[in-house]
Amino acid sequence: MIHSITMPKAILLLLAVLIGLSAYAQKKEKLKFLDADTKEPIVGLYYQYAQQSGASNESGEIELYFVEGERLVLSHINYGKWQLKSNEISEALKSNEPLLRTKHIEILQPVSVISLRPNLAEKDEQLSLNDTEKIHHDAGAILSLNPAINAIRKSPAFGFDPVMRGFKYDQLNVVIDGLQSANAACPNRMDPGSSQIMLNQIKKVEILKGPHALRYGNAFGTINFVSESPIFTPELALRGRASALYETNGNVIRNEAKVGLSSAQLNAGLLFSYSEGNDYTDGNGKTVPSNFLRGSLGAYLHYKPSNADLFSLTVNRNFARDVDFPTLGMDLRTDDTWMLNAEYERILQGRFFTKWVNKGYYTKVDHLMDNLLKPLDPRMMNASTPAETENFGYRSELQKLSENAQFYLGLDYKSESAEGEREREFVIGPNAGMKLYDNPWQKGKIEKSSVFSSYAYQLGIHSFYASARIEYNRAQSLNTEEAFEDFYETTNANQVNPAISLGYKAEWSDKLSTAIWLARAQRSAGLTERYINYFAVGMDPYELLGNPGLKAEKNNQMDWIISYDEINWQAEVNLFASYLTDYIGGEKTNLQPKLMNSPGVRQFVNIGEVFKTGFEFNFNHLISENFSQSAQLAYTYAENLSWEEPLAEIAPLDLRYSISANFLDNRGLISLNFRYVDQQNRVSTEFGEMDSPSFYLLGFESSFKFTTDWQLKLGASNLLNQAYYEHLNRPILATGEKIYAPGRNFYTMLIYRF
């Protein structure tokens, strides 16, 4: 029997067929996501788009139906969370090019990242670009771009020693690629480890706040300089860059260059940097001694015999000459350093762990300081101190990266040693011609052997993190002074230092997330704290005596982070509190100093209890397609509970604000920068620490990209010619005044890339 179809039913049937054909015609389209550094697929990338959701496959691809006006929300435990606008999705689908994303290191941790590889062609990075950082001769100086980090300055031009949340020296772990480090050969730390880093091979700096980065060490804060990743090309290609900068105040010139060859399996090249400057003028019109000369040569080699193997080798040679240190009794005359780093990575197929990474390094610093260029009148004594430090170590780590978890398991070993001899020759008086020799380092040596593990897991809106490390610390003196040996029962020490960190993060919505971190870590005393032998290396002129019997310093810390992320603006506040026991510091004694002008001797002891608290605040706002603004604020409060007074050398509240504009299709950039630093009147009377006044600064920077290859930058700092100094600056010996910063200063920079 044939049934007739009524008109309404026919219309409905036709509509159903048309809808079905339309759905069939709208095929799913693919987006591919790759790691920006390794170009490996991002597997397990979760996405939400309109009513669609899922995860990327082994090729890093996701499939979706395009919906006009909808945003694509993406998240991954290793890469964080971000969004793509409708027009960005459309352009990506049309171009069929993979989308790149930079991996976050320990994304749950309290961490700041400073970008050091600007590229005006990349719109997303334009608002935070600054080429003047990677041409700088001292990495400690560029760290101060983050208000949470300050620096102890004994020279106006070199050796800026970083301080983060009041933690300094051996309390901080300053490393390259999570491992390589250098120890200051100078007992006065004219050449801290941060000063030995060749910045034009660094991609970014990770500032990991607190004792949470246990993959890298037991320290109470980690500053990790991450090297540029190798670039492999299908055909043989020549790449390079050259930059030159001139500053008007102090006649400072800086140069840097990089040239390399790349192919499908090889990436190799050479690096160069050279800087020098003269005395500058402060805001009061006074001349500040600040002569310096600094240079570096480097070479790198990356070899990829297969997609699963990568061999890397870098060699750097740093040198410094005749650097003024007006706050000290001697100047830096020569500083020569070798830094070698080797690495092997293996991608593991079909195994529980996905990657095996092995690293080894060697660093040697040869340093000489003397007072022969000091304008002494009368000249009572000639003094010089040649000194050497040697660091080497290795690290082996297995990594397991999956869709919603990351797991690291490894071991490492580090050795650091220092030796040197101070010579004092009397020039006038009854002892004229007599020479005395002192042994400041006593050939101290510390070895650290550790095993570590960290695990992160994401479950819906919740993320969990746990990390642990146990370190065996062995210290010994190989050339001990007899008087020092008589003072202590033993000069050797062995300690076991456990550390643990736990974290939890919740993403309550697409906009709001909170995280809490708890950690307990301890660190053994460093070479200075254990073995320095009657040498004035602290903030006051007292000579310091090491103590090999020091207990390990313990830190119990909590970080609480609140983040809010809108489409055009983001804000984050990080609150922290730290309670330290067995705090290591210098205490006055009745011992007789070796130098007549020294007021006495301090001995390193475990002082007792210290409490710290504070916060960091960050705000970024994209006002429009061409305008943006940002603000950062940091403050630390610290109290020496055992001495019932403020802890020494704590920087005051620091506020930064900038507003930027890009123009001419992102070829140009101009930025106006403002900084305000509050007064610091919480000072240590025990160490004779002085108050410091507040100050504010105004500066600007601009850049213009003429062609793909050429770029010009112009800028100025301290436009209002303020006379100011940082609280942590040391006083000049001749006047007793702190080192004042440069007054008004203009710079111009030219960059060529090929």
Side-chain angles (χ1 to χ4, degrees), residues 579-630:
Y579 173 67
L580 295 98
T581 58
D582 292 320
Y583 186 82
I584 298 174
E587 187 176 57
K588 292 177 182 177
T589 69
N590 294 323
L591 298 171
Q592 293 299 313
K594 290 193 174 183
L595 299 182
M596 293 179 59
N597 59 352
S598 174
V601 177
R602 290 183 182 272
Q603 180 191 19
F604 278 109
V605 297
N606 292 108
I607 291 173
E609 301 173 328
V610 163
F611 174 72
K612 295 183 181 183
T613 188
F615 65 90
E616 292 97 28
F617 173 75
N618 293 280
F619 173 77
N620 295 289
H621 180 205
L622 184 62
I623 302 171
S624 68
E625 186 176 354
N626 300 102
F627 292 90
S628 68
Q629 61 181 340
S630 66

Side-chain angles (χ1 to χ4, degrees), residues 40-41 58 306-309 346-356 399-400:
E40 296 290 334
E58 293 183 355
S306 70
N307 289 331
D309 298 283
R346 172 77 177 178
I347 304 297
L348 304 176
Q349 302 288 348
R351 306 288 181 89
F352 174 79
F353 288 100
T354 55
K355 183 185 282 190
W356 183 30
Q399 303 178 3
K400 169 68 173 179

Side-chain angles (χ1 to χ4, degrees), residues 454-471:
S454 69
Y455 180 71
Y457 181 73
Q458 185 176 13
L459 180 63
I461 69 168
H462 308 286
S463 298
F464 306 89
Y465 178 87
S467 180
R469 169 181 283 260
I470 186 165
E471 173 193 276

Side-chain angles (χ1 to χ4, degrees), residues 35 37 76-82 101-108 111 113 204 206 215 406 408 505:
D35 185 289
D37 296 328
H76 193 284
I77 191 169
N78 294 331
Y79 296 85
K81 187 175 183 179
W82 72 103
R101 181 70 175 178
T102 301
K103 181 178 289 187
H104 287 47
I105 303 297
E106 311 296 6
I107 61 167
L108 300 179
V111 56
V113 178
K204 62 183 178 182
E206 295 167 347
R215 283 178 62 203
Q406 59 183 15
Y408 301 95
K505 179 181 179 181

Side-chain angles (χ1 to χ4, degrees), residues 1-272:
M1 181 181 292
I2 299 175
H3 297 279
S4 62
I5 301 176
T6 64
M7 183 61 69
K9 289 184 177 179
I11 294 173
L12 291 174
L13 180 61
L14 180 61
L15 288 173
V17 171
L18 291 174
I19 292 171
L21 290 173
S22 175
Y24 180 78
Q26 186 186 9
K27 294 181 180 180
K28 279 190 173 182
E29 299 186 82
K30 294 180 179 180
L31 287 175
K32 188 172 185 178
F33 294 85
L34 302 181
D35 185 289
D37 296 328
T38 66
K39 303 301 185 289
E40 296 290 334
I42 301 177
V43 181
L45 173 63
Y46 288 92
Y47 70 91
Q48 289 182 334
Y49 182 60
Q51 301 301 316
Q52 307 166 62
S53 62
S56 60
N57 59 24
E58 293 183 355
S59 300
E61 294 176 335
I62 65 173
E63 293 184 337
L64 47 79
Y65 295 111
F66 178 72
V67 181
E68 184 69 36
E70 292 289 337
R71 293 177 181 271
L72 175 62
V73 180
L74 302 149
S75 65
H76 193 284
I77 191 169
N78 294 331
Y79 296 85
K81 187 175 183 179
W82 72 103
Q83 296 182 1
L84 294 179
K85 299 177 182 178
S86 180
N87 63 320
E88 293 173 324
I89 301 169
S90 178
E91 291 174 4
L93 292 172
K94 289 177 183 177
S95 67
N96 203 29
E97 292 291 328
L99 297 164
L100 304 180
R101 181 70 175 178
T102 301
K103 181 178 289 187
H104 287 47
I105 303 297
E106 311 296 6
I107 61 167
L108 300 179
Q109 294 193 18
V111 56
S112 299
V113 178
I114 300 176
S115 174
L116 294 180
R117 285 195 67 193
N119 185 348
L120 281 178
E122 299 179 17
K123 181 170 180 275
D124 291 342
E125 298 180 8
Q126 172 154 342
L127 302 178
S128 61
L129 306 182
N130 200 332
D131 281 288
T132 55
E133 285 126 26
K134 67 183 176 185
I135 201 173
H136 207 284
H137 65 278
D138 194 316
I142 66 99
L143 290 175
S144 296
L145 293 172
N146 188 312
I149 297 185
N150 304 95
I152 295 173
R153 303 184 186 215
K154 302 171 185 176
S155 165
F158 186 75
F160 305 143
D161 216 346
V163 178
M164 180 166 63
R165 293 178 170 180
F167 294 113
K168 57 190 177 184
Y169 304 152
D170 293 291
Q171 294 174 323
L172 292 181
N173 186 26
V174 180
V175 290
I176 303 173
D177 295 326
L179 179 67
Q180 187 169 30
S181 60
N183 269 50
C186 171
N188 289 110
R189 295 181 66 89
M190 291 179 176
D191 54 343
S194 56
S195 70
Q196 301 292 359
I197 295 170
M198 196 171 180
L199 282 172
N200 63 341
Q201 66 180 357
I202 298 300
K203 174 175 60 179
K204 62 183 178 182
V205 186
E206 295 167 347
I207 302 169
L208 297 130
K209 304 164 186 173
H212 308 298
L214 299 182
R215 283 178 62 203
Y216 305 137
N218 279 41
F220 303 158
T222 296
I223 300 173
N224 184 29
F225 291 83
V226 182
S227 300
E228 294 178 343
S229 301
I231 298 175
F232 298 98
T233 55
E235 303 293 334
L236 187 66
L238 177 68
R239 297 173 181 269
R241 180 189 69 236
S243 306
L245 178 145
Y246 174 73
E247 294 180 20
T248 58
N249 196 346
N251 293 319
V252 176
I253 60 169
R254 307 187 199 277
N255 302 278
E256 68 88 21
K258 176 183 179 181
V259 61
L261 287 171
S262 63
S263 67
Q265 293 181 307
L266 185 68
N267 178 246
L270 300 173
L271 300 128
F272 162 80

Side-chain angles (χ1 to χ4, degrees), residues 253-383:
I253 60 169
R254 307 187 199 277
N255 302 278
E256 68 88 21
K258 176 183 179 181
V259 61
L261 287 171
S262 63
S263 67
Q265 293 181 307
L266 185 68
N267 178 246
L270 300 173
L271 300 128
F272 162 80
S273 68
Y274 179 87
S275 301
E276 65 174 304
N278 302 318
D279 299 347
Y280 64 72
T281 303
D282 65 20
N284 290 320
K286 295 182 179 179
T287 300
V288 179
S290 52
N291 286 294
F292 76 94
L293 184 153
R294 177 64 162 171
S296 298
L297 295 170
Y300 61 91
L301 172 67
H302 305 281
Y303 176 58
K304 192 176 183 180
S306 70
N307 289 331
D309 298 283
L310 176 63
F311 296 89
S312 301
L313 177 67
T314 60
V315 180
N316 292 337
R317 172 74 164 83
N318 304 330
F319 58 92
R321 297 290 183 270
D322 297 334
V323 181
D324 285 337
F325 277 81
T327 68
L328 300 175
M330 290 187 268
D331 295 318
L332 184 156
R333 297 302 303 277
T334 64
D335 194 271
D336 297 283
T337 301
W338 283 99
M339 302 184 76
L340 291 85
N341 185 75
E343 183 173 347
Y344 169 66
E345 294 184 7
R346 172 77 177 178
I347 304 297
L348 304 176
Q349 302 288 348
R351 306 288 181 89
F352 174 79
F353 288 100
T354 55
K355 183 185 282 190
W356 183 30
V357 181
N358 295 274
K359 299 180 180 182
Y361 77 97
Y362 175 79
T363 304
K364 184 174 183 179
V365 182
D366 189 350
H367 176 91
L368 172 65
M369 63 176 180
D370 64 33
N371 69 348
L372 299 183
L373 297 182
K374 293 281 188 185
L376 304 177
D377 186 20
R379 176 172 289 273
M380 305 290 295
M381 179 189 301
N382 292 329

